[in-house]
mmCIF file of all heavy atoms in Angstrom:
data_model
loop_
_atom_site.group_PDB
_atom_site.id
_atom_site.type_symbol
_atom_site.label_atom_id
_atom_site.label_comp_id
_atom_site.label_asym_id
_atom_site.label_seq_id
_atom_site.Cartn_x
_atom_site.Cartn_y
_atom_site.Cartn_z
ATOM 1 N N TYR A 73 -7.924 -14.488 -16.530
ATOM 2 C CA TYR A 73 -9.053 -13.826 -17.210
ATOM 3 C C TYR A 73 -10.157 -14.696 -17.278
ATOM 4 O O TYR A 73 -9.998 -15.962 -17.020
ATOM 5 C CB TYR A 73 -8.716 -13.238 -18.589
ATOM 6 C CG TYR A 73 -8.626 -14.268 -19.567
ATOM 7 C CD1 TYR A 73 -9.712 -14.406 -20.523
ATOM 8 C CD2 TYR A 73 -7.560 -15.262 -19.609
ATOM 9 C CE1 TYR A 73 -9.709 -15.455 -21.429
ATOM 10 C CE2 TYR A 73 -7.664 -16.155 -20.631
ATOM 11 C CZ TYR A 73 -8.634 -16.389 -21.545
ATOM 12 O OH TYR A 73 -8.666 -17.301 -22.393
ATOM 13 N N ASP A 74 -11.462 -14.175 -17.563
ATOM 14 C CA ASP A 74 -12.497 -15.138 -17.819
ATOM 15 C C ASP A 74 -12.927 -15.131 -19.155
ATOM 16 O O ASP A 74 -12.464 -14.157 -20.012
ATOM 17 C CB ASP A 74 -13.703 -14.899 -16.937
ATOM 18 C CG ASP A 74 -14.377 -13.571 -17.005
ATOM 19 O OD1 ASP A 74 -14.177 -12.993 -18.166
ATOM 20 O OD2 ASP A 74 -15.197 -13.222 -16.155
ATOM 21 N N ASP A 75 -13.743 -16.008 -19.685
ATOM 22 C CA ASP A 75 -13.978 -16.066 -21.186
ATOM 23 C C ASP A 75 -14.791 -14.877 -21.783
ATOM 24 O O ASP A 75 -14.676 -14.649 -22.975
ATOM 25 C CB ASP A 75 -14.733 -17.432 -21.480
ATOM 26 C CG ASP A 75 -13.837 -18.541 -21.249
ATOM 27 O OD1 ASP A 75 -12.586 -18.448 -21.426
ATOM 28 O OD2 ASP A 75 -14.336 -19.685 -21.019
ATOM 29 N N ASN A 76 -15.441 -14.187 -21.037
ATOM 30 C CA ASN A 76 -16.134 -12.961 -21.459
ATOM 31 C C ASN A 76 -15.376 -11.715 -21.482
ATOM 32 O O ASN A 76 -15.833 -10.576 -21.821
ATOM 33 C CB ASN A 76 -17.589 -12.822 -20.681
ATOM 34 C CG ASN A 76 -17.336 -12.396 -19.256
ATOM 35 O OD1 ASN A 76 -16.270 -12.056 -18.951
ATOM 36 N ND2 ASN A 76 -18.412 -12.403 -18.616
ATOM 37 N N CYS A 77 -14.055 -11.788 -21.200
ATOM 38 C CA CYS A 77 -13.195 -10.772 -21.171
ATOM 39 C C CYS A 77 -13.436 -9.526 -20.224
ATOM 40 O O CYS A 77 -12.762 -8.508 -20.239
ATOM 41 C CB CYS A 77 -12.997 -10.210 -22.481
ATOM 42 S SG CYS A 77 -12.551 -11.336 -23.882
ATOM 43 N N GLU A 78 -14.269 -9.659 -19.295
ATOM 44 C CA GLU A 78 -14.550 -8.629 -18.219
ATOM 45 C C GLU A 78 -13.500 -8.691 -17.217
ATOM 46 O O GLU A 78 -13.392 -7.627 -16.617
ATOM 47 C CB GLU A 78 -16.044 -8.751 -17.786
ATOM 48 C CG GLU A 78 -17.013 -8.329 -18.855
ATOM 49 C CD GLU A 78 -18.432 -8.519 -18.307
ATOM 50 O OE1 GLU A 78 -18.576 -8.335 -16.920
ATOM 51 O OE2 GLU A 78 -19.385 -8.663 -18.930
ATOM 52 N N TYR A 79 -12.959 -9.813 -17.127
ATOM 53 C CA TYR A 79 -11.856 -10.021 -15.999
ATOM 54 C C TYR A 79 -10.563 -10.230 -16.456
ATOM 55 O O TYR A 79 -10.262 -11.387 -16.848
ATOM 56 C CB TYR A 79 -12.398 -11.092 -15.087
ATOM 57 C CG TYR A 79 -11.538 -11.276 -13.883
ATOM 58 C CD1 TYR A 79 -11.499 -10.443 -12.735
ATOM 59 C CD2 TYR A 79 -10.724 -12.351 -13.816
ATOM 60 C CE1 TYR A 79 -10.715 -10.626 -11.786
ATOM 61 C CE2 TYR A 79 -9.870 -12.592 -12.682
ATOM 62 C CZ TYR A 79 -9.886 -11.901 -11.692
ATOM 63 O OH TYR A 79 -9.034 -11.909 -10.575
ATOM 64 N N ILE A 80 -9.816 -9.258 -16.983
ATOM 65 C CA ILE A 80 -8.514 -9.559 -17.484
ATOM 66 C C ILE A 80 -7.572 -8.821 -16.564
ATOM 67 O O ILE A 80 -7.381 -7.421 -16.603
ATOM 68 C CB ILE A 80 -8.370 -8.925 -18.891
ATOM 69 C CG1 ILE A 80 -9.441 -9.538 -19.947
ATOM 70 C CG2 ILE A 80 -6.841 -9.164 -19.514
ATOM 71 C CD1 ILE A 80 -9.440 -8.995 -21.207
ATOM 72 N N HIS A 81 -6.711 -9.525 -15.783
ATOM 73 C CA HIS A 81 -5.838 -8.990 -14.859
ATOM 74 C C HIS A 81 -4.415 -9.552 -14.995
ATOM 75 O O HIS A 81 -4.355 -10.802 -15.369
ATOM 76 C CB HIS A 81 -6.249 -9.164 -13.408
ATOM 77 C CG HIS A 81 -7.472 -8.455 -13.122
ATOM 78 N ND1 HIS A 81 -7.465 -7.119 -12.618
ATOM 79 C CD2 HIS A 81 -8.833 -8.803 -13.077
ATOM 80 C CE1 HIS A 81 -8.626 -6.640 -12.444
ATOM 81 N NE2 HIS A 81 -9.503 -7.629 -12.678
ATOM 82 N N LEU A 82 -3.398 -8.816 -14.819
ATOM 83 C CA LEU A 82 -1.974 -9.334 -14.876
ATOM 84 C C LEU A 82 -1.463 -8.864 -13.493
ATOM 85 O O LEU A 82 -1.727 -7.907 -12.877
ATOM 86 C CB LEU A 82 -1.267 -8.668 -15.977
ATOM 87 C CG LEU A 82 -1.787 -8.823 -17.377
ATOM 88 C CD1 LEU A 82 -1.042 -7.850 -18.233
ATOM 89 C CD2 LEU A 82 -1.475 -10.202 -17.862
ATOM 90 N N HIS A 83 -0.369 -9.820 -13.131
ATOM 91 C CA HIS A 83 0.418 -9.400 -11.970
ATOM 92 C C HIS A 83 1.758 -9.730 -12.324
ATOM 93 O O HIS A 83 2.159 -10.712 -12.983
ATOM 94 C CB HIS A 83 0.026 -10.359 -10.776
ATOM 95 C CG HIS A 83 0.893 -10.253 -9.703
ATOM 96 N ND1 HIS A 83 1.303 -11.449 -9.074
ATOM 97 C CD2 HIS A 83 1.432 -9.311 -8.950
ATOM 98 C CE1 HIS A 83 2.173 -11.082 -8.035
ATOM 99 N NE2 HIS A 83 2.263 -9.700 -7.957
ATOM 100 N N THR A 84 2.613 -8.650 -12.181
ATOM 101 C CA THR A 84 4.070 -8.893 -12.473
ATOM 102 C C THR A 84 4.860 -8.637 -11.210
ATOM 103 O O THR A 84 4.429 -7.867 -10.247
ATOM 104 C CB THR A 84 4.530 -7.900 -13.443
ATOM 105 O OG1 THR A 84 4.495 -6.534 -13.024
ATOM 106 C CG2 THR A 84 3.773 -7.947 -14.786
ATOM 107 N N THR A 85 6.016 -9.343 -11.092
ATOM 108 C CA THR A 85 6.849 -9.086 -9.986
ATOM 109 C C THR A 85 8.220 -8.709 -10.699
ATOM 110 O O THR A 85 8.603 -9.388 -11.532
ATOM 111 C CB THR A 85 7.133 -10.286 -9.107
ATOM 112 O OG1 THR A 85 5.901 -10.755 -8.602
ATOM 113 C CG2 THR A 85 8.090 -10.171 -8.121
ATOM 114 N N SER A 86 8.850 -7.645 -10.283
ATOM 115 C CA SER A 86 10.024 -7.178 -10.846
ATOM 116 C C SER A 86 11.125 -6.723 -9.716
ATOM 117 O O SER A 86 10.748 -6.528 -8.680
ATOM 118 C CB SER A 86 9.807 -5.912 -11.867
ATOM 119 O OG SER A 86 9.135 -4.888 -11.125
ATOM 120 N N ALA A 87 12.342 -6.407 -10.265
ATOM 121 C CA ALA A 87 13.326 -5.989 -9.264
ATOM 122 C C ALA A 87 13.315 -4.506 -9.129
ATOM 123 O O ALA A 87 13.499 -3.907 -10.111
ATOM 124 C CB ALA A 87 14.679 -6.495 -9.822
ATOM 125 N N TRP A 88 13.108 -4.120 -7.893
ATOM 126 C CA TRP A 88 13.396 -2.683 -7.369
ATOM 127 C C TRP A 88 12.441 -1.794 -7.878
ATOM 128 O O TRP A 88 12.010 -0.805 -7.100
ATOM 129 C CB TRP A 88 14.807 -2.396 -7.756
ATOM 130 C CG TRP A 88 15.845 -3.070 -7.088
ATOM 131 C CD1 TRP A 88 16.694 -4.032 -7.591
ATOM 132 C CD2 TRP A 88 16.269 -2.848 -5.656
ATOM 133 N NE1 TRP A 88 17.527 -4.455 -6.652
ATOM 134 C CE2 TRP A 88 17.298 -3.761 -5.493
ATOM 135 C CE3 TRP A 88 15.838 -2.033 -4.635
ATOM 136 C CZ2 TRP A 88 17.947 -3.866 -4.230
ATOM 137 C CZ3 TRP A 88 16.417 -2.080 -3.323
ATOM 138 C CH2 TRP A 88 17.323 -3.085 -3.149
ATOM 139 N N SER A 89 11.809 -1.783 -9.121
ATOM 140 C CA SER A 89 11.037 -0.654 -9.658
ATOM 141 C C SER A 89 9.903 -1.056 -10.400
ATOM 142 O O SER A 89 9.855 -2.260 -10.949
ATOM 143 C CB SER A 89 11.966 0.358 -10.367
ATOM 144 O OG SER A 89 12.619 -0.316 -11.434
ATOM 145 N N VAL A 90 9.056 -0.215 -10.566
ATOM 146 C CA VAL A 90 7.797 -0.488 -11.483
ATOM 147 C C VAL A 90 8.378 -0.547 -12.947
ATOM 148 O O VAL A 90 9.124 0.265 -13.390
ATOM 149 C CB VAL A 90 6.874 0.721 -11.491
ATOM 150 C CG1 VAL A 90 5.682 0.581 -12.316
ATOM 151 C CG2 VAL A 90 6.427 1.050 -10.040
#
Side-chain angles (χ1 to χ4, degrees):
Y73 79 103
D74 67 16
D75 288 335
N76 67 11
C77 302
E78 290 181 23
Y79 182 75
I80 305 176
H81 294 277
L82 302 166
H83 169 227
T84 66
T85 302
S86 56
W88 293 103
S89 59
V90 180

